[in-house]
Amino acid sequence: MNKQISPSIMCVAWLELKETIKAFEENGIEYIHVDIMDGSFVPNFTLGTDFVKALKSATNIPLDIHMMIENPESKLDWFQFGEGDYVAVHYESTPHIHRAVGAIKARGAKAMVAINPGTPICMLENLLDDIDAVLIMTVNPGFAGQKLVKATLKKISELREYLDANGYGHIEIEVDGNVSFENARLMSDAGANIFVAGTSSIFAKDGNLAENTAKLRDSIK
Ligand code: DX5
Ligand code: ZN
C-alpha cells in the first residue's frame, strides 16, 4: 500500500503557519492531520471550525480531520470538509459510531474510525463494510510529545492481517502518536500506511521540514 505522511498541524510553530503549509506542498505531503479536541472526550482543547475553514481555503492538500469530541455525529455539519478529505471519529466517543460513519460518507468524504490504545481491534468488525481506514492510536489521545504504547504495534499487524485475509485489503491503517523515525519503521513493517507526523519526526528541532520529511520517508519505505 502507498505510504503517506500526514503532519499534525497542532505541532506547527503558529507564526510560521503559512510558510509551513508551503513547505508541505513543496515536499509532496499527502494529508494534513487536524486534531479537534473538545475538552471532554480528551483532556485538552485544540483546533476548531474556523481553523478548518481557513486551512481548506489555504491549500489543496486533503485534510485528515481527527475528531476527538463527544457524539461527533451531531457536530460534523459544523465543519467544512468534502471529497478527498478523511474524517476520523472515535469508536469510544459515541454509542452511534455507525451513524457517525454514515454521516461522513453522506458528505462525500472518506470515513476513518479511530480506536484508543485500550480498545481492541475486534470492535471494528461490523464497521468494515462502511469505512475506508482505521486510525490506530499509538498513544492515548490528547497531547503531542507522549511515548509510544508498545502494545499497539501488535494491534497494527493483527489488524492488517485480518483485513487482508477477509476481503478488506483496501482499508488503510493510519497511526497517530509518537511516530518517530524509529517507531515509524516498526509501524510500517507492522502494516500501517498513513503516518501522523508530529514533534517526534517532521517537526523535530534538529532538522528542517524537508530534511525530516526525507528521513521519515526513508523509515517507512
Ligand atoms: C493526537 C496528536 C498527537 C501529536 C502527534 O491526536 O495527533 O499524537 O500531534 O505528534 P507526536 O510526535 O508529538 O506524538
Ligand atoms: Zn491526531
Side-chain angles (χ1 to χ4, degrees), residues 8 10 33-37 66 68 135 137 174 176-177 196:
S8 176
M10 73 179 258
H33 187 83
V34 190
D35 286 309
I36 312 286
M37 304 188 191
H66 181 189
M68 284 163 277
L135 169 50
M137 287 305 302
E174 179 172 76
D176 182 9
V196 177

Side-chain angles (χ1 to χ4, degrees), residues 66 115-117 135-141 146-156 173-180 183 187 192 196:
H66 181 189
I115 53 170
N116 285 337
L135 169 50
I136 304 251
M137 287 305 302
T138 44
V139 300
N140 286 292
Q146 303 183 81
K147 282 274 148 293
L148 171 72
V149 177
K150 287 221 174 68
T152 60
L153 290 175
K154 200 166 157 231
K155 287 169 74 176
I156 302 167
I173 299 182
E174 179 172 76
V175 281
D176 182 9
N178 196 200
V179 182
S180 64
N183 292 339
M187 293 163 177
V196 177

Side-chain angles (χ1 to χ4, degrees), residues 64-140:
D64 163 28
I65 304 176
H66 181 189
M67 298 285 186
M68 284 163 277
I69 62 178
E70 303 274 2
N71 301 318
E73 70 279 7
S74 60
K75 295 161 190 158
L76 291 171
D77 280 345
W78 303 353
F79 292 89
Q80 192 172 322
F81 62 80
E83 210 175 316
D85 298 319
Y86 255 122
V87 179
V89 282
H90 268 264
Y91 174 80
E92 307 86 357
S93 68
T94 170
H96 302 293
I97 188 67
H98 188 267
R99 180 178 289 154
V101 165
I104 297 167
K105 303 290 279 186
R107 292 270 300 273
K110 294 186 282 188
M112 173 151 28
V113 170
I115 53 170
N116 285 337
T119 302
I121 57 171
C122 62
M123 305 318 266
L124 300 163
E125 190 181 340
N126 298 97
L127 295 165
L128 297 178
D129 287 336
D130 300 294
I131 62 178
D132 302 284
V134 174
L135 169 50
I136 304 251
M137 287 305 302
T138 44
V139 300
N140 286 292

